[in-house]
Amino acid sequence: MGFVEGRDFTLEYRCADYQQERLAALANDLVQRGVAAIVTPSGPATSAAKAATTSVPIVFMTGFDPVASGFVASLNDPGGNVTGVFILNPDLLFKRTEVLHELAPAVKSFALFYTRTGDKAEEPFYTELQRAAEARGVTMRLYSVSQTAESEETFARAVDEGAGAILVNNHPVFLNNRELMTALAARHRLPAMYPLRQFVADGGLASYGANPADAFRLVGDYVARILRGEKPAKLPVQQMTRIELVVNTRTAKALGITIPLTVLALADEIVE
């Protein structure tokens, strides 16, 4: 977009280290420093930034519906100082559940690993997801993980409670610990469905989701337009349109799974 870091702008990072209660102070600090824009790659970070300022432009990347979450008035006409990119996580989770059911049709109990964020769109969505799973004859149990150290214990508890397959949601604690999550699934010999192809490259069974690099490019495009004078209120929320289904045939073989032709036909990439 023509901007050069160090010449036209400086970039600062703030990290809450999975501790959501720190986000408000971090957002307030950025506002007090007079930054030109704030980028928030999660729902909780967006909520904290939105509470901290009504004037500094905020560009988000979020999985939950930004209208239902209260970030914008509408997708086409955001209003206010907030806009960004919606990665359609609710729709994608329904599809991941469907594909996992095709890969493991005999399994009657799924475990969903997610991070409880407090987003007001969160609980209604997970309730709807559980109902959709029940319509397929599958019980969906939810397991919240907020810290890396909780992963192994929570995974073991899910197995003890009868989980026969795993869904991993699109949250930082899982994205930053891909090798751990795929190793736990392999150790317990459970089919697992992930949000990004990187999990499959690390040995996971399958993934269905948007490419995060594509999403961040859209975020960067909006930041550049805002720096040139455009207003977030007039920049429609963008939705990801390129979604990838990736399957790992070696992992399937190790688990004794024959990948259905219907899944292979839909796959954008097959990792062998």
Side-chain angles (χ1 to χ4, degrees):
M1 298 293 289
F3 287 87
V4 178
E5 186 176 0
R7 185 192 71 186
D8 303 306
F9 71 97
T10 57
L11 186 61
E12 296 189 16
Y13 294 91
R14 295 291 186 273
C15 179
D17 194 26
Y18 308 128
Q19 300 174 56
Q20 290 185 196
E21 65 275 9
R22 295 179 55 198
L23 289 169
L26 296 178
N28 284 322
D29 175 60
L30 291 173
V31 172
Q32 290 169 10
R33 289 174 63 82
V35 297
I38 299 174
V39 172
T40 56
S42 72
T46 305
S47 295
K50 191 173 188 294
T53 179
T54 58
S55 57
V56 177
I58 298 166
V59 182
F60 61 71
M61 185 171 73
T62 185
F64 283 113
D65 183 335
V67 177
S69 298
F71 302 153
V72 295
S74 72
L75 298 181
N76 290 329
D77 188 15
N81 63 316
V82 183
T83 189
V85 178
F86 177 26
I87 60 174
L88 307 174
N89 198 46
D91 291 342
L92 298 182
L93 254 176
F94 281 108
K95 184 63 177 181
R96 287 181 204 127
T97 302
E98 177 185 325
V99 173
L100 185 59
H101 183 60
E102 289 190 59
L103 291 169
V107 174
K108 301 302 179 186
S109 180
F110 288 179
L112 172 66
F113 288 89
Y114 77 114
T115 299
R116 187 176 293 111
T117 66
D119 190 299
K120 62 183 182 181
E122 185 175 58
E123 292 305 321
F125 165 69
Y126 287 128
T127 298
E128 186 179 353
L129 183 66
Q130 287 176 306
R131 288 174 180 161
E134 288 172 3
R136 296 180 177 275
V138 175
T139 299
M140 177 86 74
R141 292 189 172 90
L142 308 183
Y143 296 87
S144 179
V145 178
S146 59
Q147 299 287 330
T148 303
E150 301 170 3
S151 301
E152 292 202 39
E153 180 183 349
T154 305
F155 209 107
R157 179 159 57 89
V159 173
D160 289 342
E161 292 177 357
I166 305 296
L167 284 157
V168 176
N169 206 359
N170 194 7
H171 287 287
V173 71
F174 308 121
L175 304 183
N176 295 336
N177 295 279
R178 298 191 308 270
E179 292 184 358
L180 173 60
M181 298 309 297
T182 56
L184 288 171
R187 181 190 308 172
H188 293 282
R189 293 188 55 78
L190 293 180
M193 190 80 189
Y194 302 96
L196 302 178
R197 75 166 300 283
Q198 285 85 345
F199 285 91
V200 183
D202 289 338
L205 176 60
S207 67
Y208 186 75
N211 185 322
D214 292 343
F216 275 116
R217 273 190 287 271
L218 294 174
V219 169
D221 176 82
Y222 265 13
V223 172
R225 291 174 65 175
I226 287 168
L227 293 178
R228 287 176 174 162
E230 294 190 57
K231 302 298 183 184
K234 299 303 181 182
L235 294 173
V237 173
Q238 300 198 58
Q239 301 180 64
M240 299 302 297
T241 57
R242 188 164 73 94
I243 310 298
E244 303 172 329
L245 172 62
V246 184
V247 294
N248 189 317
T249 55
R250 179 181 297 179
T251 301
K253 184 177 180 180
L255 294 171
I257 291 174
T258 300
I259 300 176
L261 292 177
T262 53
V263 174
L264 289 173
L266 291 173
D268 297 280
E269 181 180 354
I270 296 173
V271 177
E272 298 178 340

